[in-house]
């Protein structure tokens, strides 16, 4: 027959084992999420290299070097991405750069981006870069206190991202004879 002290030790052992199993289960799920996030991020970068986002980049206006979306079409509704090109920052990095307690100016980013575009227009003729830096942040469901996003950076040839000058022309130089 087990005494009161033995029962308490048994309860403690069972609780400890259950806590360990829960921790292992969360770690395994988080590792799975990170693996899926890596694969989805690489998929998106591959699509960028294939030129599948050229129209989206041209149509995005003031945020021309930033794309965002989800992976719902791939069956991962809980996963989202933000793709930034060049020296652009992720949206949360811009928010983190604000001073604590400062008001949030929702138009500040758009004004800053327009100013940078004006400066870039002046510098465009001076430098033609062969590669563009692309960074993607894939966000997945949070399970623990650890960060719930993964960032991948890759340098991609400029023409693969934006197309060559010949790609953007209408091709009306031929004759119909």
């Amino acid at each position: 027959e087990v005494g009161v002290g033995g029962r308490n030790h048994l309860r403690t052992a069972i609780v400890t084992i259950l806590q360990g199993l829960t921790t292992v289960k969360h770690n395994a799920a988080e590792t799975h999420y990170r693996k899926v996030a890596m694969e989805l991020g690489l998929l998106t970068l591959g699509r960028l290299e294939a030129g599948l986002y050229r129209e989206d980049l041209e149509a995005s206006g003031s945020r021309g070097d930033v794309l965002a979306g989800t992976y719902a079409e791939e069956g991962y509704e809980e996963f989202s991405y933000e793709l930034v090109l060049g020296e652009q920052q992720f949206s949360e990095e811009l928010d983190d750069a604000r001073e604590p307690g400062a008001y949030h100016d929702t138009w500040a980013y758009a004004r800053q981006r327009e100013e940078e575009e004006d400066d870039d227009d002046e510098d465009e003729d001076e430098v033609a870069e062969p590669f563009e830096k692309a960074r993607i942040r894939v966000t997945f469901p949070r399970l623990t206190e650890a960060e719930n996003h993964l960032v991948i950076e890759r340098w991609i040839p400029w023409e693969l991202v934006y197309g060559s000058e010949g790609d953007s022309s209408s091709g009306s130089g031929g004759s119909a004879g």
Side-chain angles (χ1 to χ4, degrees), residues 29-145:
E30 186 171 337
T31 301
H32 171 71
Y33 283 165
R34 286 191 180 281
K35 179 181 181 280
V36 170
M38 175 67 81
E39 291 173 357
L40 292 171
L42 292 174
L43 171 72
T44 304
L45 288 174
R47 289 176 176 169
L48 178 68
E49 288 180 12
L52 299 179
Y53 294 127
R54 284 185 196 147
E55 291 179 8
D56 295 332
L57 289 170
E58 291 172 3
S60 59
S62 66
R63 288 193 60 132
D65 294 338
V66 179
L67 293 176
T70 67
Y71 291 107
E73 290 181 8
E74 287 79 12
Y76 296 97
E77 297 83 14
E78 316 85 25
F79 288 71
S80 62
Y81 70 90
E82 185 174 13
L83 176 70
V84 296
L85 300 174
E87 297 303 318
Q88 291 295 324
Q89 295 179 332
F90 294 116
S91 58
E92 287 179 10
E93 289 176 356
L94 293 172
D95 292 342
D96 292 344
R98 286 190 297 128
E99 294 181 22
Y103 71 95
H104 178 67
D105 185 355
T106 57
W107 294 101
Y109 179 81
R111 284 192 302 269
Q112 177 186 0
R113 180 72 181 123
E114 287 175 10
E115 290 172 6
E116 288 174 1
E117 283 180 359
D118 291 341
D119 293 341
D120 289 345
D121 290 342
E122 295 169 4
D123 297 338
E124 250 180 49
D125 296 332
E126 298 173 14
V127 180
E129 298 182 26
F131 292 91
E132 178 73 295
K133 180 171 69 171
R135 292 187 308 147
I136 185 166
R137 179 181 59 200
V138 180
T139 305
F140 49 88
R142 181 181 297 274
L143 294 174
T144 63
E145 296 299 317

